[in-house]
Amino acid sequence: HMLSLCIIIILCSSVFQDLSEELFMQASGSEVPATQMLGVEGFYGFAIGAIIYTAAAPHLTHIEDIDATYAKLVDNTNLCWWLLGLPLIFLVTGLFNIKATERTSAMTRNVWKTLRTVLVWVVALSIFYVGGNPALGEAWHTPESFVILSGFIVMTVGIFAYYSFP
């Protein structure tokens, strides 16, 4: 139940964030550039995250051992690159998302974001069948994969119908 509640809260806050971005950037006479909006969101996210962490930290049963974490980073260069690359990926994704909202609308951005699911599924299938490691990726399961494929087709037809009729 707690996981379901968290998912609902995340969905609602995402809707609020997307719509507020659109309102601030597309309001008549607004001079808020998309990159400034992204920076303000990052600042607020950091501040709110720090407050939540500070409040929750005393209640955590296990705090990470900083020395062990540092030793893992020194021993594993791939982990270091991941640690440096992930925020960069988030930054680039955020820039593209905010620019999409600036140019179109929050609705358009979220309609197209649903296609990420299709891309993730196709890449997972490709990794499974091309990668040579059956522990990675996702196998095709009959009939479940046909149901997933049908859902993607319905979603794609819905996107085209949405943008075809004014």
Side-chain angles (χ1 to χ4, degrees), residues 73-89:
L73 288 172
V74 168
D75 292 340
N76 189 341
T77 57
N78 288 338
L79 191 57
C80 287
W81 283 111
W82 179 256
L83 187 65
L84 293 172
L86 194 60
L88 182 64
I89 291 170

Side-chain angles (χ1 to χ4, degrees), residues 14-16 19 33 43 72 106 121 125:
S14 177
V15 168
F16 176 74
L19 290 175
F43 173 76
K72 279 185 181 182
W121 188 57
L125 286 170

Side-chain angles (χ1 to χ4, degrees), residues 119-139:
L119 183 62
V120 168
W121 188 57
V122 168
V123 169
L125 286 170
S126 300
I127 289 171
F128 183 83
Y129 289 107
V130 176
N133 185 352
L136 300 176
E138 181 176 336

Side-chain angles (χ1 to χ4, degrees), residues 34-152:
T35 51
Q36 182 181 357
M37 179 68 70
L38 186 63
V40 170
E41 287 179 2
F43 173 76
Y44 281 127
F46 179 78
I48 291 170
I51 290 168
I52 291 171
Y53 179 76
T54 303
H59 304 292
L60 299 174
T61 57
H62 175 73
I63 302 297
E64 185 173 344
D65 181 9
I66 299 298
D67 295 328
T69 302
Y70 181 74
K72 279 185 181 182
L73 288 172
V74 168
D75 292 340
N76 189 341
T77 57
N78 288 338
L79 191 57
C80 287
W81 283 111
W82 179 256
L83 187 65
L84 293 172
L86 194 60
L88 182 64
I89 291 170
F90 290 157
L91 173 66
V92 171
T93 302
L95 285 171
F96 281 118
N97 280 336
I98 202 101
K99 280 293 195 183
T101 301
E102 181 184 46
R103 302 265 183 209
T104 58
S105 68
M107 177 66 182
T108 299
R109 172 177 148 188
N110 283 293
V111 166
W112 287 103
K113 277 170 58 173
T114 59
L115 291 176
R116 285 187 304 190
T117 310
V118 177
L119 183 62
V120 168
W121 188 57
V122 168
V123 169
L125 286 170
S126 300
I127 289 171
F128 183 83
Y129 289 107
V130 176
N133 185 352
L136 300 176
E138 181 176 336
W140 182 273
H141 298 283
T142 304
E144 295 90 349
S145 293
F146 285 111
V147 173
I148 293 169
L149 181 61
S150 300
F152 289 149

